[in-house]
């Protein structure tokens, strides 16, 4: 039977489930229909606070205002109600439709197992969300770094809008956490492109030493994109001793920046970062970082995270958390090839107990280049604002092809970091070469190969990615974070193939464009990415091209953006059959928002005001309350 609202007939009216004038109470109507016994109604009321109704019935119908459950299912994009049974969505439709469906379902069960006894039928509790709220599928971040987020939040540096302000933050931390000259201080988040009191050049070790309280301490500060570190004079001393009293002249896949006399300035790019002997995180620190990230993820509606740089130790931690019932989100892990030992490479096996499992690892992550903000993105021609630079390729094109083929032949999915147009071309060349050994491109597409970022591409490569079936996994907030300097760095022609999200989506072989944030590089809040995708504006409503957005032709619609952070993200993780949309047979992962971010008639700025009222995974409340 039909369970959607199609056919041109408006849904029948439903009771208005409103609270009293104070807004503190809400009536939840519990209704069930029975063809044999008639219709009965049970009323249940409770005080509605953000944590008031944290235990849901085993089976229930969840309803919103007419058409305000956004399913991300292209065949049935909006419904009034869904029925959840334990962890599964059974059906969707209007309230009368789902009640009739439930009655038929109960009749079938009773006839099969209880000899047709009417009293064996179970009632259907109907829970109505607050007026004006909406329900969307559980949100997924298709590219993020869970432990790195927890680490960054210990001492975040991204709020600093000047070098002076950043040094103030460090001094304050040191005063509150006194340590000796051999105790490393590590933090993340600086971005020299946003400082008002510098020329835009990289900072130096001498800048740190300009503050007496910092001068003698070993300090390592990770740039916001993770592709550069800035260290203090004391850290330089310890690094030099660790390396045997001298720094290498060159570093494959990285660079040590030097002054006019040839001495290191304190900036280490990409692969050169590994030269600095920063102590590894302890198991206690790792758990603390993970738990903080998971807590914050639930609060912003994330039910799935693709962890795009997972070490073996981190995978073991995720499994440990799951065994302790302390992992309420789903983690799709990509093995970090940079941190695999030679033994790991030989012994690592795909870890996948099915697409609904809380922990899975069936892809590897390979890095090809650096980041645009640190002039490390590998370009085919020089940077417009730094003609002596073309970025950093971590591997030659030949080496990259060998590495990818090695993992491909073992059966792994391959996700490749590529920012610059040279890096993206090299990745597509590699996948195209692999495809020539298969019957057709569809076989390549079925393995879900991914380019992570796909940030700056030749115009012809935007289409080629789709033709090859390569998934382009993008982060909309990168566009709005970079837009004030990206065109200066790339020039007016090269920018045409950069941050081209609508073009990538239209070119995609299967209409797939998974969206992420790259947190902690950007905010963990997925609604910020949703806003950036549909507006191409910063959070103040501005862009280099005005209020209409930066290159507005590349904006996504709200429906496309929602699908990108739900169903498309599930597809990229081989999970689209059971996750990513509010459809019959899929897991009951959903989020309740306090306002309608999908309403195209509302100003885009309203999106930034939206609050998560509840996050539900497998039919259970894991944050807030329904």
């Amino acid at each position: 039977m039909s369970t959607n609202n199609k056919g041109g007939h408006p849904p029948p009216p439903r009771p208005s489930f409103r609270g009293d004038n104070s807004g503190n109470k809400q009536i939840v109507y519990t209704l069930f229909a029975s063809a044999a016994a008639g219709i009965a109604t049970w009323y249940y009321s409770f005080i509605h606070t953000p944590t008031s109704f944290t235990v849901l019935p085993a089976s229930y119908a969840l309803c919103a205002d007419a058409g305000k459950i956004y399913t991300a299912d292209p065949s049935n994009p909006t419904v009034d109600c869904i029925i959840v049974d334990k962890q599964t969505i059974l059906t969707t439709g209007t309230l009368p439709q789902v009640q009739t469906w439930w009655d038929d379902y109960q009749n079938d069960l009773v006839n099969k197992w209880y000899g047709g006894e009417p009293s064996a039928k179970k009632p259907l509790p109907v829970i109505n969300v607050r007026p004006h709220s909406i329900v969307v599928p559980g949100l997924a971040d298709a590219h993020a770094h869970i432990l790195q987020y927890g680490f960054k939040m210990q001492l975040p540096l991204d709020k600093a809008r000047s070098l002076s302000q950043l040094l103030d933050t460090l001094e304050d931390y040191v005063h509150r956490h006194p340590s000796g000259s051999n105790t490393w201080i590590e933090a993340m988040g600086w971005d020299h492109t946003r400082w008002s009191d510098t020329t835009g050049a990289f900072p130096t070790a001498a800048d740190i030493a300009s503050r007496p309280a910092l001068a003698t301490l070993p300090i390592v500060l990770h740039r916001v994109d993770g592709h550069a570190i800035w260290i203090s004079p004391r850290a330089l001393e310890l690094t030099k001793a660790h390396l045997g009293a001298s720094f290498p002249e060159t570093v494959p896949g990285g660079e040590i920046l030097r002054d006019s006399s040839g001495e290191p300035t304190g900036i280490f790019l990409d692969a050169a970062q590994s030269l600095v002997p920063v102590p590894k995180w302890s198991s206690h620190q790792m758990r603390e970082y993970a738990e903080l990230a998971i807590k914050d993820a639930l609060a912003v509606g994330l039910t799935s995270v693709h962890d795009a740089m997972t070490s073996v130790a981190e995978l073991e931690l995720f499994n440990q958390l799951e065994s302790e019932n302390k992992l309420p989100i789903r983690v799709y892990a990509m093995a970090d090839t940079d941190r695999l030992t030679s033994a790991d490479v030989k012994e690592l096996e795909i870890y996948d107990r099915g697409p609904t499992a809380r922990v899975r690892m069936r892809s590897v992550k390979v890095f090809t280049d650096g980041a645009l903000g640190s002039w490390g993105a590998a370009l085919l021609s020089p940077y417009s604002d730094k003609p002596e630079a073309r970025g950093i390729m971590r591997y030659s094109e030949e080496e990259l092809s060998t590495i990818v083929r090695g993992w491909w032949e073992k059966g792994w999915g391959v996700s490749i970091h590529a920012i610059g147009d040279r890096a993206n071309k090299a990745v597509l060349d590699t996948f195209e070469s692999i495809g020539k050994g298969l019957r057709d491109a569809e076989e390549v597409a079925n393995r879900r190969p991914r380019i992570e970022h796909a940030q700056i591409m030749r115009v012809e490569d935007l289409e080629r990615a789709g033709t090859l079936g390569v998934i382009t996994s993008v982060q909309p907030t990168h566009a709005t974070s970079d837009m004030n300097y990206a065109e200066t760095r790339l020039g007016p022609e090269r920018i045409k193939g950069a941050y081209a999200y609508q073009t990538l989506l239209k070119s995609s072989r299967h209409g797939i464009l998974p969206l992420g944030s790259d947190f902690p590089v950007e905010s963990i809040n997925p609604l910020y990415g949703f806003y950036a995708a549909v507006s191409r504006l910063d959070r103040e409503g501005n862009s280099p091209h005005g209020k209409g957005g930066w290159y507005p032709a590349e904006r996504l619609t709200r429906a496309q953006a929602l699908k990108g952070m739900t169903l498309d993200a599930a597809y990229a993780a081989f999970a689209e059959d059971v996750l990513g949309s509010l459809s019959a047979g899929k897991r009951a992962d959903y989020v309740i928002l306090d306002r309608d971010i999908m309403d195209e008639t509302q100003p885009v700025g309203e999106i930034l005001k939206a609050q998560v009222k509840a996050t539900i995974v497998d039919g259970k409340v894991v944050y807030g309350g329904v």
Side-chain angles (χ1 to χ4, degrees), residues 224-364:
V224 64
D225 56 23
H227 287 268
I229 56 175
W230 166 29
I231 70 177
S232 65
R234 177 59 179 157
L236 277 170
E237 290 176 10
L238 294 175
T239 301
K240 188 174 182 180
H242 172 74
L243 295 173
S246 64
F247 290 95
E249 288 298 318
T250 60
V251 180
E255 184 180 0
I256 303 172
L257 297 192
R258 300 173 188 272
D259 60 24
S260 57
S261 63
E263 292 299 314
T265 65
I267 295 292
F268 291 69
L269 301 177
D270 290 290
Q273 295 175 97
S274 63
L275 300 175
V276 181
V278 184
K280 291 184 178 180
W281 296 336
S282 68
S283 57
H284 173 76
Q285 286 175 305
M286 290 174 61
R287 174 177 280 262
E288 181 182 8
Y289 298 159
E291 289 177 344
L292 174 59
I294 291 165
K295 174 177 173 288
D296 286 0
L298 293 175
V300 293
L302 290 172
T303 61
S304 298
V305 174
H306 298 193
D307 193 69
M309 199 173 67
T310 309
S311 68
V312 172
E314 289 166 359
L315 179 64
E316 292 172 350
L317 172 61
F318 293 141
N319 279 319
Q320 180 64 31
L321 290 170
E322 182 185 21
S323 70
E324 298 171 4
N325 293 317
K326 293 181 179 179
L327 189 66
I329 63 172
R330 306 185 198 279
V331 177
Y332 179 76
M334 308 174 202
D336 180 9
T337 56
D338 275 4
R339 290 187 286 172
L340 294 177
T341 66
S342 56
D344 291 334
V345 172
K346 292 180 181 179
E347 298 171 6
L348 192 67
E349 295 182 354
I350 291 172
Y351 180 78
D352 190 358
R353 293 167 297 149
T356 62
R358 295 295 169 91
V359 184
R360 305 167 62 211
M361 179 185 277
R362 58 179 299 169
S363 297
V364 297

Side-chain angles (χ1 to χ4, degrees), residues 484-543:
N484 289 317
Y485 68 84
E487 190 160 354
T488 300
R489 204 149 284 189
L490 298 172
E493 288 303 313
R494 199 158 37 191
I495 198 69
K496 294 176 182 178
Y499 313 93
Y501 305 143
Q502 187 63 241
T503 301
L504 286 170
L505 178 58
K506 289 179 178 178
S507 301
S508 169
R509 188 180 185 89
H510 297 297
I512 300 295
L513 187 73
L515 305 183
S517 69
D518 204 10
F519 73 70
V521 176
E522 305 281 0
S523 170
I524 195 172
N525 189 341
L527 296 184
Y528 290 172
F530 184 93
Y531 166 81
V534 304
S535 72
R536 307 279 288 198
L537 297 168
D538 65 21
R539 285 179 226 165
E540 287 71 47
N542 301 316
S543 85

Side-chain angles (χ1 to χ4, degrees), residues 130-197:
R130 282 177 175 242
H132 312 300
S133 296
I134 68 168
V135 180
V136 297
L139 302 175
D141 194 311
H143 184 112
H145 307 284
I146 294 174
L147 269 72
Q148 287 72 21
Y149 172 87
F151 156 67
K152 177 188 172 184
M153 296 308 292
Q154 310 304 303
L155 176 53
L157 303 177
D158 54 348
K159 297 284 192 291
R161 290 297 176 265
S162 67
L163 172 61
S164 178
Q165 187 179 7
L166 184 143
L167 296 176
D168 288 344
T169 299
L170 281 175
E171 278 194 304
D172 178 67
Y173 179 85
V174 167
H175 287 313
R176 290 184 290 108
H177 303 83
S179 61
S181 60
N182 291 316
T183 301
W184 290 79
I185 296 170
E186 192 177 9
M188 181 179 182
W190 60 273
D191 185 353
H192 63 294
T193 68
R194 297 186 178 187
W195 293 344
S196 61
D197 58 350

